[in-house]
Amino acid sequence: MRTQDARRRAAVAAVIAASGAVLAACGPQPGTVAGPDASPSVVASSGPSAPGTPSSASAVPSLAGNAKPAKPKHGTALISNGTRTVWVGGVAVQFPTTVTGAKWLSAERIAFVDAEGNISTAKYDGTARKVLTKTDRSVYRANPTTVGTEVNFEEHANGTVRIKAIAEDPPWEGKLEVDAYLGVADNLGATGNTAPDGRYFGTRDVNDDRFHVDYAFGHAGPQGEEIWVRDGNSREPMASKAALGSSPAVAPDGLKVAYAGTDGQVHVLKVVSGKRPSDKGGLTDTRLTSDAHGIGQLTWTTDGRVAYSTDAGIEAVSANHTVTQLWGNAGVIDFLQA
């Protein structure tokens, strides 16, 4: 796998070099935002409470009187709802653009879809924003996630959907957008893939030889939306169909994948010890909820629960099926795992 990834990087570098003149002719490229609206402000709010470290409903602090977000730490919650207000650890921060589907990239930066439909990144306080993609009103982008130094996201264009990749840092910065390398089976193809989650790709101990999942994504199959998982310790094909459903979220340990089942409930796939995820019987499937409504945007809390958006707000469910409300309004939540 590492050899193939290295070859891919070499090929991408060649494409970058060949694309330089063409991109230069396209006019200004996205980069760090400047201008009078580029400085966000942190505001205290008397609106709905947001979770800080959500071990329970009682851990949700009031926003009143908060002046600025504290430096993020393990478990800091990030909530976005498509407006300019982003909640970071219970503090409301005004960004210079609307923020949709925000996810942590690191302890300092987040990725999101901005008001122009571009993939943007910024510091957690809204400063140092970078616009990574070029504005195209015919394109719809969603679900950003990080894969090493890349940002992967789904892009809908010309009647198809595929997972794309672009890097925040040199040498890719704002200059090249390519199909994400998924290590998929040859018969899957590049189109019809959605909802990537690869934040823990390449982050595990190289001495850990257990079979695990390091990347998951959705795929439009003949029977509806499918969950596909990539086994980081397997030979090609490294991705295989795991279930029918949507919105996959890989646990930080790589041994579990949460997803929204076709029954509208939260499910968790677990890698069976000694088996590959692609093996027959290599994954067990457990349903955690029974009466959730409109679930999506699944993620993992730092205490091992699955958080998800619903029609009524944001909830989390534990392995023993206990459901806790984290937020009483529409939004998308993510937790800093670093």
Side-chain angles (χ1 to χ4, degrees), residues 220-248:
Q223 295 180 310
E225 277 293 301
E226 301 170 345
I227 301 298
W228 282 64
V229 298
R230 169 172 163 152
D231 174 3
N233 286 347
S234 178
R235 296 180 181 275
E236 287 191 88
M238 289 177 289
S240 57
K241 187 174 80 169
L244 293 177
S246 59
S247 192

Side-chain angles (χ1 to χ4, degrees), residues 32 114 135 181 186 222 252 254 270 272 280 324:
T32 302
D114 66 22
T135 301
Y181 175 70
D186 291 339
K270 185 176 181 179
V272 176
K280 183 176 181 179
T324 303

Side-chain angles (χ1 to χ4, degrees), residues 9-224:
R9 299 297 183 194
V12 169
V15 174
I16 293 174
S19 303
V22 175
L23 290 165
C26 293
Q29 298 301 307
T32 302
V33 171
D37 66 342
S39 297
S41 58
V42 180
V43 297
S45 170
S46 58
S49 298
T53 304
S55 58
S56 67
S58 63
V60 178
S62 169
L63 297 180
N66 288 334
K68 62 180 181 179
K71 184 176 178 60
K73 60 183 180 180
H74 183 69
T76 296
L78 173 72
I79 296 178
S80 59
N81 63 358
T83 68
R84 292 180 58 198
T85 304
V86 177
W87 286 265
V88 181
V91 178
V93 180
Q94 292 296 107
F95 274 57
T97 181
T98 59
V99 175
T100 301
K103 297 289 180 66
W104 288 107
L105 292 183
S106 67
E108 290 287 327
R109 298 186 66 79
I110 68 173
F112 56 94
V113 181
D114 66 22
E116 300 300 320
N118 284 311
I119 301 298
S120 281
T121 62
K123 288 189 65 174
Y124 64 89
D125 61 2
T127 62
R129 178 180 162 217
K130 294 180 180 180
V131 182
L132 304 187
T133 55
K134 298 174 67 173
T135 301
D136 185 343
R137 296 297 186 184
S138 68
V139 169
Y140 170 75
R141 303 180 178 101
N143 295 316
T145 186
T146 183
V147 182
T149 60
E150 300 173 11
V151 178
N152 284 196
F153 55 94
E154 67 178 73
E155 181 176 278
H156 301 248
N158 301 317
T160 64
V161 57
R162 61 205 307 152
I163 296 175
K164 307 286 283 188
I166 194 166
E168 183 189 35
D169 298 318
W172 285 19
E173 184 177 328
K175 294 183 178 179
L176 187 65
E177 185 180 318
V178 299
D179 284 324
Y181 175 70
L182 302 176
V184 298
D186 291 339
N187 61 354
L188 186 60
T191 61
N193 301 321
T194 63
D197 186 9
R199 284 179 287 178
Y200 311 111
F201 177 80
T203 63
R204 307 193 200 288
D205 185 348
V206 295
N207 296 315
D208 183 357
D209 59 358
R210 292 180 299 174
F211 296 112
H212 59 261
V213 174
D214 62 6
Y215 196 103
F217 58 97
H219 179 72
Q223 295 180 310

